[in-house]
Amino acid sequence: MDFVFAQFLTGLAGAASLFLVASGLSIIFGVTRVVNFAHGAFAMLGAYVAYTLTARFSGPFGFWGGILGASVLVALFGAVIEMALLRRLYRAPELFQLLATFGLTLVFEDLVVLVWGPDDLLGPRAPGLAGAVELFGQAVPSYDLLLIALGPIAFGLLWLLFHRTRFGVLVRAATQDREMVAALGVDGRWLFTAVFTLGVFMAAFGGAVQLPRDAVNHTIDLRLIVDVFVVVVIGGLGSVGGAFVASVLVSELDAFGILVLPGVSLVLVFVVMALVLVVRPFGLFGRAEAPSRAVPEPGRKPPAPLSAPARLAVAALVAATATVPLWAGDYLVTVGSEILIVAIFAASLQFIMSAGAMVSFGHAAYFGLGAYGAALAVKLLGLPMLPALACGMLLALAGAALFGWFCVRLSGVYFAMLTLAFAQIAWSVAFGWTGVTGGDNGLLGLWPDGWAASPRAFFWLCLAAAAASVALIRALVFSPFGLGLRAVRDSALRAEALGLGRAPVQWAAFALAGTVAGLAGGLFVFLKGSVFPDSLGIGTSVDGLVMVLLGGIGTVSGGVVGAVVYKALSVWLISQTDHSKLALGLVILALVLLFPAGLGGLASRLAPRRRRAAAPAVHPAVGVGGAP
Amino acid sequence: MTALLAAEGLNGWYGRAQVLFGMGVTVGPGEVVALLGRNGAGKSTTFKAIAGLLDRREGRVAFAGEDVSRLPTPALVRRGLAYVPEDRRIFADLTVEENLSVGRQPARAGSAAWTPERLFALFPNLAEMRRRRGGAMSGGEQQMLSIARSLMGNPRLVLLDEPSEGLAPKIVEDLALAILELKREGLGILLSEQNLHFARLISDRAVVIDRGHARLSATMAEIADDAEACAAYLAV
C-alpha cells in the first residue's frame, strides 16, 4: 500500500512537466490552429540550454536562474521562429504549418547533437532538494515533491493569466473566433506571436524542470511530442484545465501500468486515449471544433481526370521509368524500388487526406500490418511471395476496417490523434509480442521468390504495383464513390440530406487506403528482407504526411511527386552528410516557404490565375445564396 | 462637410464569383443610412468589402477623408469604423464583461470614451447579466452585446448588419431607441435591413441594392413611398 502511494507520487511528479509542455501546445493550437510538431523539440531545447546554464552557474540561484533563463531564451527563439517562419504560413492550407514545424524538429534534432553531442546528459540535482523525504515508510525524492506542487501552481498562474488579464481574455476570445477578434481591432499578428512565445516558454520550462529527474538526449523530442499529443487530446484541445487533468491521468497510467501490466504498459495510455475519444470525441473538456479551413474555397476548380495528352505523357513517364534497370546500377535500382514503394504508401494516404479530408497521423499502422502480414505468411505458413503480399494486404484491410470504424466518427485533429493512437497500439503489439513478431529484433530472411529476386525484376514488380495503385486510386477519386467521398468532405450535412452518410463512405475509403498501404508494406519487407516495429512507428506515419503535404494536399496524386522528391532527397542526403536531418529539415523549410501550396499544387496554382484574369464575371446570383 | 464614410466603385468576389458591381454608399456623422435589399442582394458583402473582410475586392473606401482602401481590418477599427456582423459572433465562453473588454480600444480625442457602465445604461438588460456567459444569452441579448462590444472601440461609424433579424418586436423597439441614441451622440450608422418598417423608423437615407448593384439612393421617406421600387427590389 505504501509502495502504491509512493508510485502515485512519482506519477504526480511526472505530470507537472507533462502539463507544462501540453498546456503550451494547447494554447498555441487554440489561437493559431497550428499543430506545433516542434513542441517536443522546444522542450528538448529547454532542457539542453538549462543543462548548459545550470552547469555554468551553481547554487540555488544558478540552478533556478538557469532553468528560468533557459525557458526565456528558448521562448525568445520561438518568437523569432514565429515571426520569420510561421507568420508567412497562416494563410497556407491547414496542416501546412505541421510540415514546417516537422522540418524545424529535424533541424533541432541535428543541431543539439552538433552542440551538445549525441550522448545522454545528466543534469545537476536541485540545490537543497537532492535528498529524499520519508513518507509512509517510503523514500520520496524531495524534488518530486516540489514538482508535485509546481503543477497546480502553474495551473493557477495560467488560470489567473487567462481570467484576470486582458491578454488572457483576448487569447480565450481568439481561441473561439479569431476573425471576430480581428474585426474588433485587435492586431492578430501581435497576438499570435505572443501566444506562440508563451506556449514555447511553457514547453521549454516543462523540459527544463525534468532535468534533475531524467537524462537529456536528442531523441526525447519525439517521445515527448507523442505523450503531449495524447495529453492534449484526452484533455480536449485548447483546454488548459483538460490538459491538467489529462497529464495527471496519463502520468499515473504510466506509473502504474508498469506495475500492473508490465507487458502492455506501452499500450495502456493509447487504449485509454482511444476509449476517451470514442466516448467523448472532443476529449474530456474539449468542445466541438470550429469549422476548419479545410473546406475548399468557393470557386476553386475541382480536380479533373487527366486529359488524353496528359495520359500519354504519364504513360511515357512510366515507360521511361521502366528503362531504369537497363542502364542504372543495382544500388540505384534498389533505391528506385524503395521510392516506388513509398510512392504507393503516399498515394494511399493522399486518397483519404485529399479526397476525404481525413488527415491520418497513423497511416504507418497499415503499412506495418501489411509488412508483418506478409512476413508472417512466409514465416508461419511458408507461402510464396505473391500470396504472402495478399495476406499482408488482408491484414492491413482488417486493421484499417477495425480501427477506421472508430476513427471515422471523428474529424479534424481528433481524427488524426485517434489514428495515431491506434498506430501506436499496433506498434506496441509488434514491439512487445516477441514470440511472434520477434519484437525489437524484427523478422529476418524474407527475400522475394526466385523470379523477382534480382533488383531489376523487383523494380519492375514495384513499378507495376505503383502504377496500378495510383491508377486505381485516381479512378476511384473520379468514380461516383469518389464524388461521394468529396461530397461528405465538403458538406457532410448536405450529403446526408441526399442520403449519403458520412461515416460509411469514409470508412470504406479508410479501409481501402489501408489495404493499398498494406501492399506497400509487404513489398517493403521483400525489398529489405526484414521487418521491424519501426515500419508501424510514428516516424513512418510522419514521412507519409510530409510526402503528401510536399506534393500538395489540394492535388489528386501530388503525393507521388512528394514521395519521389522526399525519399530521393533523404537517401541522397544520408549518403552525403552526417547531418542529413539538418539538411532535410532546411530543405523542407525552404520548400514550405517557396511553395506554400506544395510541389504538385504549384502547377494548378499558376494555371487558374492566368484563367481568372480573362474570366468573365459569373452571374451575380451564384455564390451569394450560400454566403452569410 | 466631408462624409464620414464614402465607398465607391466596390467590386467584390467570393472565390471566382463576382457579387458586387460598383457598389457605393456614403454616410455622414449623425446620419443613419439603411442598405435595403433582398436576401442575397449583396448587403453583407458590401459591409465586408468596406470593413476589409473580403478576400478579393476593388474600389475605393474613404474614412473621414482618408483613403483606407488598403488598410487591414484592425487598422480600420482603430480609426473608428466598427463592424457588427449579422450572426453577432459573441464569444460564447466569455462573460458579458469579458466580451466587452475584447472590444476595448483607446479613447478618441474630443469624445467621451465608452465604458461598460455607459453601455449598461444604454442597454439595461446587459447590466443584469454582467457575469453571464455569452453562450447562455438569448438572441436579442446577444445582439445588444454585439453592438455594445463594438462600441467599446469608440467608433465614429458603425456597420450594423441586419440588427433586427430574428428578434422579438419588443426587442426591435429597444434596439431602435438605442440606435437613435447613438445617432444623437453623433455616430454615423450604416445598417442593412430587410425589414422596411424597422429601417423607416430610424433611417435618414436609404440605398437599395439588388444583385450587387446600387439601384436607388434617396431619402428613406421617398423610398418607402415608392411602391414600384419596393415591389421590384424588396421583399414587401
Side-chain angles (χ1 to χ4, degrees), chain A residues 399-542:
Chain A
L402 175 67
F403 295 159
W405 192 85
F406 294 100
C407 294
V408 298
R409 263 134 253 281
L410 309 182
S411 61
V413 181
Y414 290 92
F415 172 89
M417 291 300 145
L418 191 56
T419 54
L420 172 68
F422 282 127
Q424 288 300 105
I425 291 170
W427 177 85
S428 308
V429 171
F431 186 82
W433 199 8
T434 326
V436 175
T437 63
D440 206 14
N441 296 321
L443 297 169
L444 308 174
L446 301 151
W447 298 107
D449 297 349
W451 60 270
S454 73
R456 167 186 292 209
F458 197 76
F459 179 90
W460 284 323
L461 175 67
C462 291
L463 180 62
S469 303
V470 174
L472 169 77
I473 285 172
R474 285 194 72 93
L476 269 172
V477 168
F478 298 114
S479 72
F481 174 74
L483 290 177
L485 186 61
R486 282 143 68 190
V488 296
R489 169 195 71 187
D490 292 343
S491 177
L493 218 58
R494 286 182 204 181
E496 267 169 21
L498 294 171
L500 195 63
R502 186 180 79 116
V505 175
Q506 292 196 331
W507 186 39
F510 192 89
L512 187 109
T515 313
V516 176
L519 170 64
L523 286 169
F524 193 72
V525 171
F526 292 106
L527 175 76
K528 298 287 180 186
S530 56
V531 58
F532 298 99
D534 275 0
S535 63
L536 301 132
I538 182 168
T540 308
S541 293
V542 172

Side-chain angles (χ1 to χ4, degrees), chain A residues 169-563:
Chain A
V169 171
L170 288 181
V171 169
R172 283 163 58 218
T175 301
Q176 291 168 49
D177 188 346
R178 54 179 177 169
E179 267 180 11
M180 192 61 223
V181 172
L184 288 168
V186 178
D187 188 343
R189 284 181 311 173
W190 169 84
L191 189 65
F192 279 28
T193 307
V195 163
F196 195 81
T197 310
L198 173 68
V200 170
F201 174 84
M202 308 285 298
F205 190 57
V209 295
Q210 275 296 86
L211 198 57
R213 292 184 94 218
D214 280 335
V216 193
N217 66 49
H218 60 101
T219 60
I220 57 170
D221 60 330
L222 265 194
R223 202 199 69 214
L224 259 173
I225 195 69
V226 173
D227 280 357
V228 163
F229 274 160
V230 170
V231 165
V232 164
V233 164
I234 290 181
L237 274 164
S239 163
V240 175
F244 186 75
V245 173
S247 62
V248 172
L249 182 67
V250 166
S251 199
E252 292 297 351
L253 279 172
D254 263 344
F256 284 102
I258 290 175
L259 296 182
V260 184
L261 300 159
V264 294
S265 69
L266 284 169
V267 198
L268 198 57
V269 169
F270 291 100
V271 171
V272 170
M273 166 165 152
L275 282 177
V276 167
L277 284 186
V278 167
V279 180
R280 287 193 57 95
F282 300 104
L284 293 175
F285 296 90
R287 213 174 299 255
E289 264 183 282
S292 80
R293 291 177 296 149
V295 178
E297 53 193 289
R300 199 190 70 178
K301 247 178 102 65
L306 289 179
S307 60
R311 272 166 211 253
L312 276 177
V314 170
L317 190 67
V318 173
T321 311
T323 67
V324 167
L326 303 178
W327 48 266
D330 278 358
Y331 171 72
L332 213 58
V333 172
T334 308
V335 169
S337 301
E338 188 168 346
I339 290 177
L340 289 167
I341 290 170
V342 294
I344 300 174
F345 179 56
S348 71
L349 177 60
Q350 174 142 44
F351 176 59
I352 50 172
M353 271 176 79
S354 295
M358 290 182 275
V359 178
S360 170
F361 277 27
H363 204 52
Y366 316 107
F367 182 86
L369 283 175
Y372 275 99
L376 292 174
V378 172
K379 287 280 175 195
L380 301 181
L381 309 176
L383 290 180
M385 182 172 71
L386 289 183
L389 284 174
C391 284
M393 290 171 75
L394 272 179
L395 188 62
L397 169 64
L402 175 67
F403 295 159
W405 192 85
F406 294 100
C407 294
V408 298
R409 263 134 253 281
L410 309 182
S411 61
V413 181
Y414 290 92
F415 172 89
M417 291 300 145
L418 191 56
T419 54
L420 172 68
F422 282 127
Q424 288 300 105
I425 291 170
W427 177 85
S428 308
V429 171
F431 186 82
W433 199 8
T434 326
V436 175
T437 63
D440 206 14
N441 296 321
L443 297 169
L444 308 174
L446 301 151
W447 298 107
D449 297 349
W451 60 270
S454 73
R456 167 186 292 209
F458 197 76
F459 179 90
W460 284 323
L461 175 67
C462 291
L463 180 62
S469 303
V470 174
L472 169 77
I473 285 172
R474 285 194 72 93
L476 269 172
V477 168
F478 298 114
S479 72
F481 174 74
L483 290 177
L485 186 61
R486 282 143 68 190
V488 296
R489 169 195 71 187
D490 292 343
S491 177
L493 218 58
R494 286 182 204 181
E496 267 169 21
L498 294 171
L500 195 63
R502 186 180 79 116
V505 175
Q506 292 196 331
W507 186 39
F510 192 89
L512 187 109
T515 313
V516 176
L519 170 64
L523 286 169
F524 193 72
V525 171
F526 292 106
L527 175 76
K528 298 287 180 186
S530 56
V531 58
F532 298 99
D534 275 0
S535 63
L536 301 132
I538 182 168
T540 308
S541 293
V542 172
D543 278 354
L545 276 175
V546 170
M547 291 184 268
V548 172
L549 291 172
L550 265 184
I553 192 168
T555 64
V556 180
S557 10
V560 174
V561 180

Side-chain angles (χ1 to χ4, degrees), chain B residues 11-117:
Chain B
N11 295 325
W13 286 261
Y14 281 119
R16 282 155 40 133
Q18 186 173 0
V19 290
L20 291 184
F21 300 85
M23 263 304 290
V25 61
T26 59
V27 185
E31 189 180 30
V32 179
V33 177
L35 190 58
L36 302 173
R38 289 204 175 98
N39 236 349
K43 301 187 297 292
S44 294
T45 313
T46 303
F47 279 20
K48 287 181 183 167
I50 293 171
L53 291 165
L54 221 51
D55 285 338
R56 187 166 171 225
R57 184 200 75 184
E58 292 169 359
R60 185 171 186 276
V61 179
F63 189 70
E66 179 195 6
D67 185 350
V68 295
S69 310
R70 299 192 171 278
L71 290 183
T73 310
L76 289 173
V77 175
R78 285 196 294 273
R79 277 168 175 70
L81 188 144
Y83 167 63
V84 181
E86 182 182 9
D87 44 1
R88 292 151 200 163
R89 296 177 80 160
I90 292 302
F91 303 113
D93 279 351
L94 271 54
T95 65
V96 167
E97 283 179 332
E98 286 173 336
N99 265 284
L100 292 179
S101 96
V102 175
R104 195 173 77 215
Q105 294 287 332
R108 213 164 290 287
S111 62
W114 286 100
T115 60
E117 293 315 315

Side-chain angles (χ1 to χ4, degrees), chain B residues 203-228:
Chain B
S203 312
D204 304 308
R205 287 192 300 115
V207 175
V208 174
I209 179 173
D210 182 53
R211 294 184 188 182
H213 298 267
R215 300 287 183 191
L216 280 176
S217 177
T219 66
M220 187 66 230
E222 279 169 350
I223 287 185
D225 293 341
D226 185 344
E228 203 175 311

